[in-house]
Amino acid sequence: MDDLKKLLKLMNFSPKDGSLGIYYKTYNKFDYTIEVDFENKKIKYQDESKIEDEQIKLGDKTTSNFSNSENFVVLECINRLIEKGYNPKDIYLEYVWPLGRKLKGKLDILVFKESKAYLMIECKTWGKEYSKEKQNTIKNGGQILSYYAQDRNTEFLCIYTSKVESNNIQYENSIIKINDNWKNLANMEEIHTHWNKNFFDSGIFEEDSTVYNIKTKSLTLKKLKDLTAQ
């Protein structure tokens, strides 16, 4: 719990007056509040002062609790999205696609643009799980390409991770920019075959990218490292 409190502090959450173990943050641009309740181990993404159409949407509450450390990556990503300028009303958590009598996948974060899917984000914990999902995507399409196959309006796919390191929040993202030619492909297997297996590592949250104006780059100067002798 100390790590979560450190994360909340770095994201500028504050203890709520008159409450026990509740931290909150109000995003002034949207007058929208998210709360984290330590006593009940819940993350409250929906601001009840808003009408339903102005709230973050929830497919279910799988990520709205403390049961999995991946849920805190989701919280940090949501914070980063809203800070960037994405409106909470355009964000959907745990989006589920039905397929016959079965449910086909459950995406961590789906960002809409003018009521159409725009950006799909799958969150993973730092290190092993993040690397594993990237490799699965390269190998067979992973989760993220299967979600795109359900909604071809999407323009960008992203595998996201973050962690607290030395009083800072570090994040990494692997981004796939959708090729228009994929929209007419039959299934995920064909999409995976046509994808060149390369990710972009920036473009969503950088300063030169604005809301709904993602500028993908393969490598940024700040990520270049000096070569060392082996």
Side-chain angles (χ1 to χ4, degrees), residues 12-27:
N12 297 315
F13 277 69
S14 303
K16 187 175 182 180
D17 292 340
S19 67
L20 181 63
I22 295 179
Y23 287 72
Y24 78 100
K25 179 175 180 178
T26 298
Y27 300 86

Side-chain angles (χ1 to χ4, degrees), residues 4-5 7-16 22-27 33-36 43-45 75 79:
L4 177 55
K5 288 182 178 179
L7 172 64
L8 293 174
K9 183 178 180 181
L10 290 170
M11 294 191 299
N12 297 315
F13 277 69
S14 303
K16 187 175 182 180
I22 295 179
Y23 287 72
Y24 78 100
K25 179 175 180 178
T26 298
Y27 300 86
T33 299
I34 292 175
E35 292 185 352
V36 179
I43 304 170
K44 187 178 178 182
Y45 285 108
L75 173 61
N79 177 73

Side-chain angles (χ1 to χ4, degrees), residues 20-22 36-42 66:
L20 181 63
I22 295 179
V36 179
D37 182 346
F38 278 82
E39 184 173 7
N40 296 300
K41 297 183 178 181
K42 301 292 184 183
F66 293 14

Side-chain angles (χ1 to χ4, degrees), residues 199-229:
F199 295 101
F200 295 97
D201 67 0
S202 65
I204 299 173
F205 299 109
E206 282 68 28
E207 291 183 3
D208 59 345
S209 294
T210 54
V211 177
Y212 299 116
N213 186 25
I214 293 174
K215 298 180 179 179
T216 50
K217 297 179 181 179
S218 296
L219 188 63
T220 56
L221 288 175
K222 68 180 181 180
K223 294 185 178 179
L224 291 176
K225 297 180 180 179
D226 294 332
L227 294 174
T228 55

Side-chain angles (χ1 to χ4, degrees), residues 57-60 92-98 104-110 112 120 147 151:
K57 311 301 186 296
L58 300 177
D60 63 31
Y92 204 121
L93 294 181
E94 297 298 310
Y95 193 92
V96 179
W97 286 272
K104 180 64 174 179
K106 188 160 55 174
L107 174 66
D108 287 333
I109 303 171
L110 179 57
F112 285 88
M120 294 179 174
Y147 298 144
D151 193 333

